[in-house]
Amino acid sequence: MWVASDWKDYRLLDCGGGQRYEKWGRQYLVRPDPQAIWPQAEKWDKVNAVYHRSNQGGGSWEVFSLPENWQIGYGDLRFNIKPMSFKHTGVFPEQAANWDFIRRSIENARREISVLNLFAYTGGATLAAAAAGASVCHVDASRGMVGWAKENARSSGLGEKPIRWIVDDCAKFVKREINRGHRYDAIIMDPPSYGRGPSGELWRFEDNIYDFVELCAGVLSDQPLFVIISSYTAGVSPSVPEYILGRTVRRRFGGRTESGELGLPVESTGMALPCGHTTRWIGE
């Protein structure tokens, strides 16, 4: 398991009873978590907001005392936080383990690196790559998410870095980049389990991921550095995207693959809470 253990502004204080108790800067949040199936050991008295699931699907926040938005930092990166629908806050803190890998890999490459970040959300991986000196193409189907990522870049002092901000369906964009002859040294993707593109394009992880990764292999440069696939799709083992990268990217470029769970350290118990998984292809 790759554990994101270097946070200062985010803390997973406790978890249990299907919930996690977190501190985001100065704000204490309680959110559902399907992995925390053991009993809740302690009462959580200090809470600014709780997310309640609905029996009809989705849910809503019960707010006691919470600003509309606030910031937290991870090293020199700054993120604008606000409670969203479906329990989200704008950051998946476990992804910091990938951000560290991204920065380290780009800095150690000692050459100019171009990065394509697909399903890029609010830009954590984009900021990590840009801070390490890479040029980045940030692609997401949601105009609101791309705008949020721009805000995070400005907050992190990266607003003038070479980042292209693209609102588009990721598969359609990659096909156009291949036709235009554009190539990238690294690809990052965090595809959803299920979703629709800006023109109603249907995405289902199990049905689309193999063809999509195979497509993306066609936009890699002659000396690619890495490819990262993150997944939160229930029932999909970390081995599955590793096999896919092996059959597509590794077969073409050599290198090696690795996969594992992402996790967050739980302060009350010393455990690490599993939070999805990541697969990496790493060039030679």
Side-chain angles (χ1 to χ4, degrees):
M1 181 184 286
W2 291 307
V3 179
S5 56
D6 292 334
W7 278 98
K8 301 296 188 295
D9 285 357
Y10 170 85
R11 296 161 59 195
L12 178 51
L13 303 173
D14 194 14
C15 57
Q19 299 186 103
R20 60 165 79 174
Y21 179 45
E22 307 162 296
K23 188 178 182 186
W24 296 77
R26 297 180 179 178
Q27 311 304 320
Y28 294 82
L29 304 182
V30 175
R31 299 189 295 160
D33 194 291
Q35 301 292 338
I37 60 175
W38 46 87
Q40 180 180 329
E42 301 178 5
K43 185 178 179 181
W44 304 329
D45 291 321
K46 195 169 185 179
V47 177
N48 295 98
V50 179
Y51 186 87
H52 299 287
R53 287 199 185 279
S54 168
N55 294 331
Q56 285 74 44
S60 61
W61 287 93
E62 180 183 9
V63 175
F64 306 111
S65 174
L66 195 69
E68 286 189 15
N69 55 76
W70 67 99
Q71 285 190 354
I72 64 170
Y74 183 76
D76 55 351
L77 306 181
R78 303 295 299 177
F79 298 96
N80 296 282
I81 304 300
K82 58 184 176 183
M84 302 166 57
S85 60
F86 197 64
K87 78 175 183 178
H88 294 165
T89 63
V91 171
F92 290 83
E94 64 275 6
Q95 287 290 336
N98 276 329
W99 305 340
D100 292 343
F101 169 83
I102 291 164
R103 293 189 72 156
R104 184 170 61 249
S105 299
I106 293 170
E107 290 167 353
N108 291 341
R110 300 184 183 279
R111 58 185 171 98
E112 292 186 1
I113 299 296
S114 59
V115 175
L116 177 60
N117 188 12
L118 301 166
F119 309 98
Y121 195 52
T122 58
T126 294
L127 303 189
S135 60
V136 187
C137 182
H138 174 110
V139 187
D140 197 280
S142 168
R143 187 172 299 278
M145 291 299 106
V146 173
W148 195 339
K150 287 182 181 180
E151 291 178 13
N152 288 337
R154 289 191 291 268
S155 297
S156 300
L158 301 171
E160 302 304 315
K161 292 293 184 179
I163 305 173
R164 293 170 62 200
W165 304 102
I166 307 294
V167 180
D168 203 349
D169 174 77
C170 289
K172 289 183 177 179
F173 178 79
V174 172
K175 289 176 184 176
R176 286 197 295 271
E177 290 291 88
I178 291 172
N179 293 335
R180 287 187 285 242
H182 293 172
R183 298 293 182 265
Y184 297 88
D185 302 303
I187 298 175
I188 304 159
M189 64 178 78
D190 188 359
S193 300
Y194 178 88
R196 291 189 179 274
S199 300
E201 303 87 350
L202 180 63
W203 169 276
R204 189 170 182 268
F205 188 92
E206 297 92 325
D207 296 337
N208 297 100
I209 188 62
Y210 184 89
D211 290 343
F212 184 73
V213 174
E214 190 172 43
L215 174 70
C216 289
V219 82
L220 285 167
S221 68
D222 293 335
Q223 290 183 291
L225 188 61
F226 61 79
V227 177
I228 299 174
I229 305 174
S230 293
S231 175
Y232 295 88
T233 303
V236 175
S237 164
S239 299
V240 171
E242 185 171 6
Y243 292 147
I244 292 173
L245 282 176
R247 291 170 62 93
T248 54
V249 179
R250 190 178 65 201
R251 181 175 291 178
R252 179 173 174 180
F253 295 100
R256 62 185 177 87
T257 58
E258 59 184 21
S259 63
E261 292 180 307
L262 295 175
L264 290 169
V266 184
E267 292 189 6
S268 62
T269 62
M271 299 187 302
L273 180 69
C275 305
H277 55 79
T278 281
T279 299
R280 301 166 182 164
W281 173 85
I282 302 167
E284 295 176 330

